[in-house]
Amino acid sequence: MLYSRLAASLQAYCDTPRHFVLALSGGLDSRVLLRLMGQYLRLNPQHRCLAVHVHHGLSQNADEWSQCCLYWAREEGIECQVERVSLALGSRVSVEQQARERRYQALKKHLPAGGILLTAQHADDQLETVLLALKRGSGPAGLAAMAQSTPFAGGVHFRPLLTSTRTEIEHYGQQHQLEWVEDESNQDTRYDRNFLRHEVTPQLIQRWPGIRKAVARSAELCGEQDALLQELLHEKLQQALEADQSLSVASLGSERVGKQLIRQWLGLFNVLMPSKAQLDQIWQAVVQAKADANPQLCWQQVQVRRFRQRLYLVQQWPDIQDWQQECQLGQPCRLPQNLGSLTLRQAQGGQLRLPTPDEVLSVRFDPEAVEVKPVGRVGKRKLKKLFQEYGVPSWNRRRTPLIYYGDQLAAVAGLFVVEAFSGQDCDLEWHNDASDVQC
């Protein structure tokens, strides 16, 4: 039954040769999926499949599990690769969440455009996911839980066992005398999902045998409602979205509509959604703040900031105010924190003069107490005021490269040249991750 169900579900994707990536933990569910895919590929050799085992290093048995996965994949005639990832234990992010994020990052590396990622979640997992969403107080998007098929990394994430129960999968594994690994952490009921699996869902299923199908149906309906809401608000979101992917505050409308638009806007960046309380704070403390305020809300590693009546999603970075780096004329200077590289290059008709032999060329990021006169301006102004006039958001003012000749500021990358250092000998080129800027 499981094989016929899998073959039928894959039929919609296999009109042309496909490349599958199978997430192989070595546990019962993925072990059964590996056997099913081995059978499927023997009957459909035009397709390819790569099994990927993610080694988290959390268990003393992790190395042994990796070897088991390599052996079982070889038995099924499927190539297998092991990906090692590391987790920041003791951080504020839960181990479960970190492991999941690292796992999907590792899997994404192996998925070609148009490929299909296969994972082994089943109907009991779906029931647990909905219960966890209820515990968090999720809305329709969260209660939609896991769809059988979702876009992923230029391909598709497909869950072929989602309509099958844990009992059916266990029966298949025993019937075919399969071996699999038992992760000792799966017995630890300090983890919410394990608590539900061992203490709650067995009683629910015993009392209401049809609860898995009923919950799956509710999840599907929630997914349809959320998709409908996104469809209805799509045009309004496009109107509110600016060219730089910021969101116009004036276009948000009422609080109810505005919050939904903010959620959809955040969804464009694939970040962890804020909680209801955090979304309320975004609306009250950021959207509704006074016009001259500098409001923000932080969660995980991102911030929502407002600047000139637009909302921006900003990654949180450590302070680089004390960072300095000497540079050589004509050679790229690597900048910290994904800010790219900066090069002072000789060029006829440039905007900067050459540094003299005793003027050491360097890059800094500390704008405090700096007062200069840009080319074409009247009088000196503090750099803080100039940043405001040039429309640089507050969070970027300590992330904009400052080019020094000796101890004097000569230029601000992407903005202006200081009048005392203007000339026609050099161009300053800043190649960052978002764009190429010339000053």
Side-chain angles (χ1 to χ4, degrees):
M1 181 189 297
L2 283 185
Y3 177 76
S4 60
R5 206 177 287 166
L6 174 132
S9 65
L10 290 180
Q11 200 61 39
Y13 297 96
C14 295
D15 51 337
T16 58
R18 288 286 191 167
H19 185 114
F20 295 97
V21 172
L22 191 157
L24 180 61
S25 70
L28 169 65
D29 309 330
S30 67
R31 178 68 182 94
V32 167
L33 182 56
L34 182 71
R35 168 57 62 88
L36 293 170
M37 280 304 295
Q39 183 179 349
Y40 183 79
L41 292 171
R42 285 189 289 274
L43 297 173
N44 300 273
Q46 71 273 27
H47 305 300
R48 293 184 57 220
C49 184
L50 170 69
V52 177
H53 173 76
V54 180
H55 184 306
H56 297 98
L58 294 174
S59 169
Q60 61 183 3
N61 301 311
D63 290 337
E64 181 183 343
W65 296 343
S66 297
Q67 293 304 311
C68 288
C69 288
L70 290 168
Y71 174 74
W72 292 328
R74 192 160 53 244
E75 275 193 325
E76 302 298 339
I78 293 175
E79 182 186 352
C80 181
Q81 291 194 22
V82 175
E83 280 281 346
R84 292 177 178 267
V85 300
S86 58
L87 307 180
L89 302 181
S91 70
R92 290 184 296 175
V93 182
S94 74
V95 173
E96 292 172 286
Q97 182 182 324
Q98 280 191 74
R100 183 182 183 279
E101 290 174 355
R102 300 291 190 279
R103 185 162 58 249
Y104 280 103
Q105 287 170 3
L107 293 167
K108 186 184 298 185
K109 289 163 50 177
H110 295 277
L111 194 72
I116 300 175
L117 172 65
L118 300 175
T119 58
Q121 291 96 345
H122 47 70
D124 293 72
D125 292 325
Q126 184 78 305
L127 172 57
E128 294 161 8
T129 301
V130 172
L131 292 174
L132 287 170
L134 284 170
K135 189 222 38 154
R136 292 192 299 267
S138 299
L143 293 173
M146 297 179 289
Q148 188 166 46
S149 173
T150 52
F152 178 77
V156 175
H157 180 184
F158 191 63
R159 300 177 175 92
L161 302 181
L162 199 58
T163 59
S164 304
T165 66
R166 180 178 285 116
T167 302
E168 290 174 317
I169 293 170
E170 288 175 349
H171 177 71
Y172 182 95
Q174 293 162 359
Q175 182 184 23
H176 291 264
Q177 299 181 323
L178 298 181
E179 293 180 324
W180 57 86
V181 303
E182 294 286 356
D183 187 341
E184 64 275 9
S185 68
N186 288 338
Q187 304 303 315
D188 189 346
T189 55
R190 290 177 300 176
Y191 296 115
D192 289 344
R193 186 175 288 275
N194 289 343
F195 172 73
L196 290 174
R197 181 172 302 164
H198 297 295
E199 304 289 342
V200 178
T201 56
Q203 295 188 53
L204 294 176
I205 293 167
Q206 183 178 8
R207 178 65 181 262
W208 300 297
I211 192 170
R212 285 171 292 209
K213 286 186 178 180
V215 167
R217 188 163 60 248
S218 292
E220 186 177 356
L221 289 171
C222 285
E224 289 178 1
Q225 292 296 315
D226 185 60
L228 176 61
L229 185 61
Q230 292 194 42
E231 184 177 329
L232 292 173
L233 290 179
H234 176 74
E235 185 174 345
K236 190 167 181 62
L237 176 64
Q238 295 306 307
Q239 293 171 352
L241 203 60
E242 302 289 347
D244 61 358
Q245 298 297 292
S246 63
L247 197 64
S248 167
V249 170
S251 301
L252 294 180
S254 68
E255 179 176 350
R256 180 177 297 174
V257 172
K259 286 180 179 178
Q260 289 299 324
L261 288 173
I262 291 170
R263 282 183 60 84
Q264 290 194 27
W265 171 64
L266 292 173
L268 300 176
F269 302 99
N270 296 315
V271 298
L272 183 69
M273 281 293 163
S275 66
K276 181 182 182 302
Q278 289 168 330
L279 189 60
D280 289 342
Q281 282 186 277
I282 291 174
W283 185 262
Q284 297 297 333
V286 182
V287 174
Q288 299 293 319
K290 293 180 180 179
D292 59 348
N294 183 25
Q296 59 181 284
L297 181 87
C298 309
W299 78 101
Q300 295 299 315
Q301 298 299 314
V302 294
Q303 305 171 319
V304 169
R305 307 287 295 259
R306 198 189 73 193
F307 180 71
R308 293 188 173 178
Q309 295 305 301
R310 295 185 187 180
L311 298 184
Y312 292 83
L313 185 70
V314 181
Q315 186 170 354
Q316 296 187 61
W317 294 102
D319 185 19
I320 52 173
Q321 180 176 341
D322 296 328
W323 188 93
Q324 290 188 32
Q325 180 68 51
E326 290 187 8
C327 307
Q328 299 297 320
L329 185 68
Q331 296 183 14
C333 176
R334 292 302 306 173
L335 303 177
Q337 299 180 352
N338 294 340
L339 288 172
S341 65
L342 189 138
T343 308
L344 183 67
R345 194 184 308 280
Q346 285 188 261
Q348 290 185 351
Q351 295 179 298
L352 277 155
R353 67 166 174 80
L354 278 169
T356 63
D358 61 339
E359 290 177 327
V360 176
L361 186 65
S362 65
V363 181
R364 308 178 191 181
F365 287 93
D366 183 6
E368 288 296 325
V370 178
E371 193 174 81
V372 292
K373 180 178 182 296
V375 171
R377 300 290 296 264
V378 176
K380 289 186 176 182
R381 301 293 303 272
K382 287 186 177 180
L383 197 51
K384 179 181 178 181
K385 290 292 185 183
L386 289 169
F387 275 141
Q388 292 175 351
E389 292 175 18
Y390 281 93
V392 178
S394 58
W395 57 90
N396 276 340
R397 292 171 191 171
R398 295 181 185 274
R399 291 177 55 79
T400 300
L402 309 178
I403 294 78
Y404 276 75
Y405 284 12
D407 290 328
Q408 299 297 313
L409 179 65
V412 178
L415 294 182
F416 60 80
V417 170
V418 177
E419 187 172 72
F421 298 89
S422 66
Q424 297 185 336
D425 305 317
C426 302
D427 269 337
L428 184 65
E429 299 174 357
W430 178 20
H431 301 277
N432 65 16
D433 289 344
S435 60
D436 292 344
V437 182
Q438 281 199 339
C439 173

